Amino acid sequence: MNKFLQKIYDDIICYEKDCMEMDKKITEEMNRLIKHYELPKTDLEELKSLLYEISRISQREGFFLGIRYAFRIFYALK
């Protein structure tokens, strides 16, 4: 099931307008938070890459969790 949900998220959900807007907000917030650090450009880019990967994983895991709870609610209402 997780592989199936991961495929749905990676191939469909992450390209939806809502998700792309969320990505933009996350990138803006990430840039705001790290602008105060005096790091060499290569280290800064590596930090941005790591933070973006963490946020991407978090978004996908949040999607999985939301789907699981939606199914639990659906079955509880039967």
Side-chain angles (χ1 to χ4, degrees):
M1 182 70 155
N2 270 357
K3 294 260 188 213
F4 179 67
L5 291 177
Q6 185 173 345
K7 186 159 181 60
I8 290 172
Y9 184 83
D10 290 342
D11 293 345
I12 299 169
I13 302 298
C14 70
Y15 296 108
E16 291 293 314
K17 182 180 177 186
D18 294 352
C19 197
M20 293 176 86
E21 287 175 7
M22 182 175 55
D23 264 358
K24 183 180 175 187
K25 288 178 185 177
I26 289 169
T27 301
E28 289 170 356
E29 184 66 15
M30 182 174 39
N31 288 331
R32 186 188 69 77
L33 291 171
I34 63 175
K35 74 178 180 182
H36 302 291
Y37 293 94
E38 299 291 328
L39 296 172
K41 188 173 181 167
T42 55
D43 290 348
L44 192 59
E45 291 303 317
E46 187 174 338
L47 178 60
K48 283 182 180 182
S49 179
L50 288 170
L51 291 172
Y52 187 76
E53 184 64 20
I54 291 167
S55 73
R56 192 182 67 77
I57 291 167
S58 299
Q59 290 171 25
R60 186 174 46 196
E61 291 300 317
F63 170 73
F64 295 165
L65 186 61
I67 291 293
R68 284 188 207 110
Y69 277 101
F71 276 111
R72 287 181 187 171
I73 291 168
F74 176 75
Y75 283 114
L77 296 176
K78 281 188 157 189

